[in-house]
Amino acid sequence: MADQSYEDQGEPTSEPDERWFQELPGLLHAYAAARREARIADPNGPAADIDTKQAPSPAMLSYLREAARHPGRATRVISEIERILAEGPTDEVLLQLADAGISPERLHASDQADPAEHFNRMLPHLQRFVADGEKAVQAPPQTRWEWKERFSDLGSLLGGQFYMYWQDDYDHEGALTEFIEALGSDTDWAGTILQNIADVRAITSSEKSLEHAFRMLGFYGYPPKGTSWKQWLARIEERLREYVRDNS
């Protein structure tokens, strides 16, 4: 589906979402991904999830790059953090966190700072980001979370169709065919995936970097025999363009 603003869009047409924490899970997933991937890259390296007064952490920078693409996200998460800090760990807060899929360990940074300290280190950077007009220096995604946030529609194809055991059921073309048939008449979604493909191509200049993109977006396996990653991406694009042409 296409990018959209997180700001209110007029009167609701259905029951309002009463969950307290709708944006906080995304922020904490960004931190968990940065923490995990930094440890894998260098177990003895600096932590990627600890903000200081002087500088945002790599995790915060990852989140802000995506928040800049969706105005309103940072404002929402600020209000959710402020609610936690104001109310403390009451039973209702803990219940709402659990309903949002936030486990207690996600509330701590890698230095084991308590949740209040962890959130208070985040807040100035989020507030400054909003005050400065929700702008961030853009860069290629740095974590799996960021790849999936930025290219969620292409990730739905690659991660959803080419899952761990997909080769037990299909060949490459068969997997693509099933996905395209399931689109029905949704040429808009296909168009968004095509835009994701163009954007991925723009930030992957080598076979190695393109393979990394495929992996980060959930693709298991390799391109068809004798086909490069660039050729495989071009084939996916070709199939989607044929579908859009035939259904427009």
Side-chain angles (χ1 to χ4, degrees):
M1 59 184 69
D3 288 352
Q4 57 185 350
S5 171
Y6 277 67
E7 296 173 344
D8 291 339
Q9 300 292 321
E11 292 298 320
T13 57
S14 59
E15 289 297 319
D17 191 335
E18 296 182 352
R19 293 175 302 160
W20 290 6
F21 305 115
Q22 299 177 47
E23 182 59 27
L24 186 61
L27 175 66
L28 295 178
H29 282 314
Y31 272 68
R35 178 170 57 247
R36 180 177 59 253
E37 292 171 34
R39 285 176 175 170
I40 292 171
D42 183 359
N44 299 312
D49 64 337
I50 299 176
D51 300 288
T52 67
K53 291 180 180 179
Q54 293 72 32
S57 64
M60 176 60 74
L61 292 173
S62 176
Y63 176 80
L64 294 180
R65 282 191 291 271
E66 289 311 299
R69 294 163 50 80
H70 300 277
R73 286 186 75 163
T75 300
R76 177 178 289 176
V77 83
I78 287 169
S79 69
E80 293 177 5
I81 289 173
E82 288 175 338
R83 184 167 195 168
I84 290 177
L85 293 174
E87 299 198 18
T90 65
D91 288 345
E92 181 63 18
V93 167
L94 295 175
L95 178 61
Q96 290 282 346
L97 288 169
D99 285 347
I102 301 172
S103 58
E105 59 269 19
R106 286 286 174 93
L107 301 176
H108 296 267
S110 56
D111 63 354
Q112 296 306 307
D114 65 48
E117 181 179 355
H118 189 30
F119 287 132
N120 275 310
R121 294 189 301 211
M122 296 179 187
L123 269 178
H125 302 294
L126 291 163
Q127 291 164 338
R128 187 176 304 114
F129 169 78
V130 171
D132 290 345
E134 300 186 73
K135 298 179 177 64
V137 176
Q138 289 299 317
Q142 300 299 304
T143 66
R144 186 181 296 271
W145 175 85
E146 197 176 351
W147 276 101
K148 290 186 174 181
E149 284 286 305
R150 190 173 306 184
F151 304 114
S152 59
D153 300 282
L154 180 57
S156 293
L157 191 167
L158 297 180
Q161 200 65 33
F162 297 93
Y163 49 88
M164 186 175 293
Y165 301 111
W166 66 271
Q167 293 179 87
D168 292 345
D169 302 313
Y170 315 99
D171 59 13
H172 293 76
E173 292 293 329
L176 274 178
T177 296
E178 182 182 76
F179 180 84
I180 289 169
E181 288 178 348
L183 287 173
S185 59
D186 196 351
T187 55
D188 287 343
W189 190 26
T192 303
I193 298 172
L194 286 167
Q195 184 59 57
N196 279 184
I197 289 173
D199 293 341
V200 166
R201 185 179 284 123
I203 61 172
T204 52
S205 58
S206 67
E207 281 289 296
K208 184 177 181 180
S209 62
L210 184 55
E211 178 181 2
H212 178 72
F214 268 84
R215 302 298 184 204
M216 290 295 99
L217 292 171
F219 180 85
Y220 279 86
Y222 293 90
K225 188 175 181 180
T227 303
S228 69
W229 288 101
K230 290 182 179 181
Q231 290 169 332
W232 176 218
L233 184 65
R235 177 55 180 161
I236 295 171
E237 181 181 38
E238 180 183 36
R239 291 289 307 274
L240 287 168
R241 290 198 182 284
E242 289 173 353
Y243 158 80
V244 171
R245 184 188 64 238
D246 292 345
N247 289 274
S248 296

